[in-house]
Amino acid sequence: PEQRIVFGVIHDITETKRAQEAMAHSNDLMRYIIEHSRSAIAVLDREMRYLFVSQHYIDDYELKRNVEGMYHYDVFPDLPPQWKEVHRRALAGEVISADEESYIKEHGSVYWTRWECRPWFLPDGSIGGIILDTEVINEHRQVKEELKRISGLLDLATQAGRAGVWEWDVTKDRVTWSDLMFEHHGIRKDEFGGRLEDWLGLTLPEDRAKYEEEIRRALKDGSRLDTVLRLRWPDGSVHNIRVLAFVQRNAEG
């Protein structure tokens, strides 16, 4: 019978398979890291389509589902023009960030964010897209606004009550005075060194030991300081200044 010879070609693709497996593992690892990051992270390609997003990104921006593969500006159709300019600059190679910036969604919700936008690179060195690393800081912003409000009320109260406010940082021996403190002590700001000694040096010499003991006692047991300083002004007159204070301790006591 007629016989035929079949010719074939084989290739050893072991290295190719290893490279493919390494690439798949690298992608899986990056996805795992991003998805479980405590930051709101999104990785986008040059066409501004999502490649990876963290769970925090989905939660923080109230996205209804995973947006991988979607166009960024379809997900956020009301994005302000200045943010699109940030993306354009990042795709051109810049790293841009902001510590506090607001973003108002179409339904009226306001997000205060701390963010960074930077390019990521392909093996050949070209830019493959951008990485968005953002943090919604609404709660931080609210605390900041509340502190500002309280500070304003305190300033109003001290002005109305003619009370000077002071603070002594014990670790740095730094005394900080409000404007009314300088008025109550009869000196100008450039005449005050800002240390406890500079303050106690204004008291009458015969009262100095008593004041120092009251301060030591308050620091030791945390008791409220309530005393009267007798101060001699530059013009020689003596004034009685009531001093109230409480001790604040750090986490180490």
Side-chain angles (χ1 to χ4, degrees), residues 57 104 236:
Y57 190 87
I104 304 175

Side-chain angles (χ1 to χ4, degrees), residues 187-218:
I187 62 174
R188 302 191 309 270
K189 292 183 179 181
D190 59 358
E191 296 176 323
F192 183 56
R195 297 176 301 119
L196 183 65
E197 171 60 33
D198 298 315
W199 190 1
L200 292 179
L202 300 172
T203 63
L204 298 185
E206 59 267 32
D207 295 343
R208 174 72 179 262
K210 178 177 76 75
Y211 298 145
E212 290 179 340
E213 176 57 31
E214 290 178 334
I215 292 172
R216 281 194 294 268
R217 184 171 61 252

Side-chain angles (χ1 to χ4, degrees), residues 42 44 47-48 50 57 61 63 71-88 91 101-107 109 111 113 115 117 130 132 134:
L44 300 96
E47 303 304 318
M48 293 300 293
Y50 289 99
Y57 190 87
Y61 294 103
L63 304 179
Y71 185 50
H72 181 60
Y73 303 129
D74 286 341
V75 177
F76 296 97
D78 51 352
L79 203 66
Q82 62 265 29
W83 284 50
K84 295 182 180 181
E85 175 63 15
V86 167
H87 301 154
R88 185 195 66 77
L91 287 170
E101 189 166 344
S102 64
Y103 163 52
I104 304 175
K105 292 199 71 173
E106 56 187 357
H107 53 69
S109 297
Y111 294 97
T113 62
W115 58 267
C117 184
I130 61 173
L132 301 176
T134 68

Side-chain angles (χ1 to χ4, degrees), residues 134-184:
T134 68
E135 180 185 1
V136 176
I137 57 171
N138 282 19
E139 185 174 339
H140 168 78
R141 177 77 181 186
Q142 290 169 359
V143 171
K144 183 178 178 181
E145 289 297 322
E146 181 64 11
L147 288 175
K148 182 178 178 181
R149 186 185 72 83
I150 293 174
S151 178
L153 290 175
L154 177 61
D155 183 62
L156 181 63
T158 55
Q159 290 291 334
R162 301 294 296 166
V165 178
W166 62 274
E167 181 179 25
W168 176 35
D169 186 328
V170 180
T171 59
K172 299 178 181 178
D173 188 23
R174 188 66 186 171
V175 176
T176 305
W177 281 1
S178 68
D179 289 343
L180 278 173
M181 286 290 288
F182 292 98
E183 181 179 330
H184 290 333

Side-chain angles (χ1 to χ4, degrees), residues 25-80:
H25 174 71
S26 178
N27 285 339
D28 289 343
L29 180 60
M30 183 168 71
R31 181 185 298 277
Y32 180 84
I33 292 173
I34 292 174
E35 284 181 350
H36 295 84
S37 171
R38 298 183 66 179
S39 298
I41 297 176
V43 181
L44 300 96
D45 62 17
R46 288 197 62 86
E47 303 304 318
M48 293 300 293
R49 295 190 179 277
Y50 289 99
L51 299 178
F52 305 100
V53 293
S54 68
Q55 187 60 47
H56 270 283
Y57 190 87
I58 295 172
D59 294 341
D60 286 356
Y61 294 103
E62 302 175 0
L63 304 179
K64 302 302 182 183
R65 59 190 176 92
N66 195 317
V67 294
E68 289 183 9
M70 296 183 63
Y71 185 50
H72 181 60
Y73 303 129
D74 286 341
V75 177
F76 296 97
D78 51 352
L79 203 66

